[in-house]
């Protein structure tokens, strides 16, 4: 398996995507001239281009809600065509950078010349693609078969607290997740603990590691019986692509090598998230 890892050294998030066969797509670089600060966008763009499932599915789309010079769909189509057909080894991402800045001007995100977050850029590009091709449905309930972000990337989950002492449970809260974010510090700390408790790494270790590193804060029992509970997050589907966003605690983290050694290229989704009925999924892969 080929693992693609990109990180944004300024704001602290990275995005990891792994797939089960090496990409056969033409490989080209993207320019980032002094002052452009486009490395975060270029990282997200390279991930999308080298994901065969996304690239081939996106190629088949044409009809969309066009916003002219602020149309991320058109700009992405253009840069993908250059990736495939251009004889240049280094390509400009200016059109997509400009469309991204105009699309998020109200939020003051991803603005020209300003460094931003690679993983959040990746996630927001996916959601803008949804907007361009499936604007008639809301982001959290989209079931359109042609919507690549939701059909290929979206993890459909609900979270709930269940008390093993008194049996009380909170109301399930459903949500959609495009990127599963993990603290690199928590990831490395949990990796050390897990390796200390076993002689050799196991195939399921990476999934278990992600689960342990994702443990949230304790919550009070819904019936206030006195127990402190962790939220259970239940995965309801099996997305073709699972994206892991690495959250760095500082701009100058010294954990890069440890993080790389902690990464795996295969995982069972049931090791990362609970499955309905408590049964782990046997064949899940990070895509």
């Amino acid at each position: 398996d080929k693992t693609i890892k990109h990180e944004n050294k300024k704001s602290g998030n990275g995005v990891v995507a792994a797939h089960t066969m090496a990409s056969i797509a033409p490989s080209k670089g993207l320019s980032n001239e002094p002052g452009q600060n486009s490395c975060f966008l270029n990282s997200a763009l390279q991930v999308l281009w080298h994901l065969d499932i996304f690239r081939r599915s996106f190629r088949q789309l044409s009809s969309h809600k066009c916003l002219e010079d602020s149309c991320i769909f058109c700009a992405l189509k253009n840069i993908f065509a250059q990736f495939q057909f251009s004889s240049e080894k280094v390509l400009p991402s200016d059109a997509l950078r400009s469309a991204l800045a105009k699309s998020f001007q109200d939020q003051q995100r991803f603005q020209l010349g300003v460094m931003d977050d690679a993983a959040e850029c990746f996630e927001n590009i996916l959601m803008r693609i949804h907007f361009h091709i499936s604007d008639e449905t809301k982001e959290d309930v989209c079931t359109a078969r042609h919507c690549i972000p939701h059909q290929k990337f979206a993890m459909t989950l609900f979270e709930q607290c269940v008390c093993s002492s008194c049996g009380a449970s909170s109301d399930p809260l459903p949500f959609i997740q495009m990127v599963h974010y993990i603290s690199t510090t928590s990831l490395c700390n949990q990796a050390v603990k897990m390796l200390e408790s076993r002689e050799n790494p196991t195939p399921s270790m990476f999934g278990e590691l992600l689960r342990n590193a994702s443990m949230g804060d304790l919550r009070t029992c819904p019936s206030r019986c006195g127990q402190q509970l962790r939220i259970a997050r239940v995965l309801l589907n099996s997305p073709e692509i699972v994206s892991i966003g690495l959250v760095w605690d500082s701009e100058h983290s010294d954990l890069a090598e440890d993080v790389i050694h902690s990464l795996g290229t295969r995982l069972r989704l049931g090791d990362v998230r609970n499955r309905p009925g408590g049964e782990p999924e046997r064949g899940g892969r990070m895509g």
Side-chain angles (χ1 to χ4, degrees), residues 29-55:
L30 293 162
S31 62
N32 183 29
E33 299 296 334
Q36 286 185 329
N37 291 321
S38 295
C39 57
F40 71 93
L41 171 61
N42 294 349
S43 296
L45 186 52
Q46 290 282 11
V47 171
L48 289 171
W49 171 251
H50 285 283
L51 281 170
D52 295 339
I53 295 173
F54 175 83
R55 186 181 65 255

Side-chain angles (χ1 to χ4, degrees), residues 260-277:
I260 291 172
H261 288 309
S262 300
L263 296 177
T265 55
R266 291 179 182 269
L267 80 162
R268 299 189 309 178
L269 294 180
D271 291 329
V272 184
R273 298 294 196 192
N274 296 325
R275 303 292 289 180

Side-chain angles (χ1 to χ4, degrees), residues 181-183 186-188 190 208-216:
Y181 289 98
I182 296 289
S183 161
S186 179
L187 186 77
C188 293
Q190 289 296 328
E208 295 173 24
L209 175 58
L210 292 178
R211 179 195 286 263
N212 292 340
S214 304
M215 291 293 186

Side-chain angles (χ1 to χ4, degrees), residues 6-266:
H6 296 282
E7 67 187 57
N8 172 1
K9 295 181 179 178
K10 180 178 188 298
S11 54
N13 281 1
V15 60
V16 174
H19 45 102
T20 56
M21 60 179 293
S23 173
I24 58 173
S27 182
K28 293 182 174 68
L30 293 162
S31 62
N32 183 29
E33 299 296 334
Q36 286 185 329
N37 291 321
S38 295
C39 57
F40 71 93
L41 171 61
N42 294 349
S43 296
L45 186 52
Q46 290 282 11
V47 171
L48 289 171
W49 171 251
H50 285 283
L51 281 170
D52 295 339
I53 295 173
F54 175 83
R55 186 181 65 255
R56 292 168 182 168
S57 299
F58 187 66
R59 183 184 301 155
Q60 297 173 7
L61 295 177
S62 57
S63 177
H64 69 288
K65 179 180 179 179
C66 186
L67 298 179
E68 299 181 350
D69 60 349
S70 62
C71 185
I72 288 176
F73 185 96
C74 287
L76 194 59
K77 279 281 188 180
N78 180 270
I79 192 69
F80 271 27
Q82 292 184 63
F83 266 123
Q84 186 169 3
F85 300 113
S86 175
S87 60
E88 299 294 328
K89 293 184 178 180
V90 179
L91 305 174
S93 57
D94 299 17
L96 182 56
R97 182 77 155 100
S98 177
L100 191 68
K102 291 176 181 177
S103 297
F104 290 90
Q105 186 171 6
D106 290 345
Q107 298 98 309
Q108 284 298 296
R109 294 297 312 274
F110 314 120
Q111 296 303 291
L112 296 178
V114 181
M115 183 75 78
D116 217 300
D117 187 278
E120 292 181 13
C121 176
F122 172 86
E123 184 175 12
N124 277 282
I125 287 176
L126 290 178
M127 298 319 300
R128 290 301 293 183
I129 293 173
H130 159 82
F131 168 79
H132 286 299
I133 64 177
S134 303
D135 187 38
E136 69 280 0
T137 57
K138 294 182 179 180
E139 293 180 0
D140 56 347
V141 293
C142 181
T143 57
R145 295 182 63 85
H146 65 281
C147 184
I148 299 171
H150 286 90
Q151 290 296 318
K152 307 297 185 183
F153 292 84
M155 290 173 273
T156 305
L157 307 108
F158 73 82
E159 61 181 29
Q160 187 177 34
C161 287
V162 179
C163 182
S164 59
S165 179
C166 70
S169 61
S170 62
D171 292 333
L173 176 65
F175 64 101
I176 295 290
Q177 188 179 62
M178 291 289 174
V179 178
H180 179 58
Y181 289 98
I182 296 289
S183 161
T184 53
T185 299
S186 179
L187 186 77
C188 293
N189 289 341
Q190 289 296 328
V192 171
K193 291 180 181 179
M194 292 177 68
L195 288 173
E196 288 176 347
S197 64
R198 63 188 71 187
E199 293 184 3
N200 297 303
T202 62
S204 64
M205 181 175 171
F206 185 50
E208 295 173 24
L209 175 58
L210 292 178
R211 179 195 286 263
N212 292 340
S214 304
M215 291 293 186
D217 297 332
L218 293 173
R219 303 290 179 88
T220 302
C221 171
S223 69
R224 302 187 183 280
C225 75
Q227 292 294 319
Q228 294 292 303
L229 313 174
R230 292 197 184 277
I231 296 176
R233 292 181 174 87
V234 179
L235 181 64
L236 301 176
N237 69 329
S238 297
E240 292 186 51
I241 301 169
V242 176
S243 303
I244 309 296
L246 300 177
V247 182
W248 302 86
D249 294 339
S250 73
E251 298 179 14
H252 307 289
S253 174
D254 58 357
L255 294 176
E257 186 174 347
D258 292 336
V259 169
I260 291 172
H261 288 309
S262 300
L263 296 177
T265 55
R266 291 179 182 269

